[in-house]
């Protein structure tokens, strides 16, 4: 990764720049004649060339719901424990398998996942 001064190029972070003359915020501005990107002050007309062509970063994060990742075939796994003490919240069947999934996030507390053994329901839940 290249760096220019204290600003990282292609770092994914676009910081706010301030005017050296009056300390107001600088705004991106296009110099169409020279085809370069500038940062300009709206108060004192100070301008400086941009050291990074990126002016905005939109990071999209997508978190996967762990319950949707559970395959309902686990109900026929003979190695998983079964319980009648936790009825299904959807169909009220008192027969479910449960297990602890391996979480990618180490800071997560221990979570038990339940899958209803009713073939017509197969609801997944946690408590």
């Amino acid at each position: 990764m290249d760096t220019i001064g204290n600003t990282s190029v292609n770092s994914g972070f676009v910081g706010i720049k301030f005017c050296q003359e009056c300390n107001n915020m600088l705004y991106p501005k296009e110099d169409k004649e020279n085809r370069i990107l500038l940062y300009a002050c709206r108060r004192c007309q100070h301008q400086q060339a941009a050291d990074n062509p990126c002016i905005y970063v939109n990071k999209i994060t997508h978190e996967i719901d762990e319950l949707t990742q559970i395959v309902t075939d686990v109900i026929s796994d003979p190695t998983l424990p079964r319980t009648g003490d936790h009825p299904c919240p959807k169909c009220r069947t008192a027969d479910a398998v449960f297990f602890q999934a391996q979480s990618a996030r180490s800071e997560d507390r221990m979570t038990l996942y339940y899958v209803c053994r009713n073939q017509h329901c197969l609801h997944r839940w946690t408590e």
Side-chain angles (χ1 to χ4, degrees), residues 87-105:
C88 173
K90 187 175 178 184
C91 73
R92 294 292 180 214
T93 300
D95 187 18
V97 297
F98 65 96
F99 58 93
Q100 179 187 359
Q102 297 295 322
S103 177
R105 297 173 290 190

Side-chain angles (χ1 to χ4, degrees), residues 83-84 86-96 116-118 121 125:
T83 182
H86 299 276
C88 173
K90 187 175 178 184
C91 73
R92 294 292 180 214
T93 300
D95 187 18
C116 178
R117 293 197 66 228
N118 179 349
C121 178
W125 76 97

Side-chain angles (χ1 to χ4, degrees), residues 23-109:
N23 289 328
N24 280 310
M25 194 165 81
L26 295 177
Y27 294 89
K29 179 181 175 182
E30 178 186 8
D31 180 353
K32 293 181 181 183
E33 215 174 272
N34 297 319
R35 297 181 48 97
I36 60 170
L37 178 65
L38 299 171
Y39 282 98
C41 178
R42 293 181 180 171
R43 184 165 185 245
C44 71
Q45 306 308 314
H46 169 77
Q47 293 183 351
Q48 67 186 48
D51 51 1
N52 186 346
C54 181
I55 59 168
Y56 179 75
V57 175
N58 184 15
K59 287 190 178 183
I60 299 172
T61 58
H62 179 72
E63 291 194 21
I64 298 171
D65 181 15
E66 290 179 345
L67 289 175
T68 60
Q69 300 300 310
I70 297 172
V71 179
T72 56
D73 292 344
V74 297
I75 64 168
S76 55
D77 186 342
T79 63
L80 289 178
R82 285 158 173 59
T83 182
D85 297 336
H86 299 276
C88 173
K90 187 175 178 184
C91 73
R92 294 292 180 214
T93 300
D95 187 18
V97 297
F98 65 96
F99 58 93
Q100 179 187 359
Q102 297 295 322
S103 177
R105 297 173 290 190
S106 62
E107 69 272 2
D108 284 351
R109 60 182 176 83

Side-chain angles (χ1 to χ4, degrees), residues 4-20:
I4 300 173
N6 291 334
T7 307
S8 295
V9 177
N10 299 327
S11 69
F13 175 74
V14 179
I16 299 172
K17 299 190 181 297
F18 295 95
C19 179
Q20 297 170 353

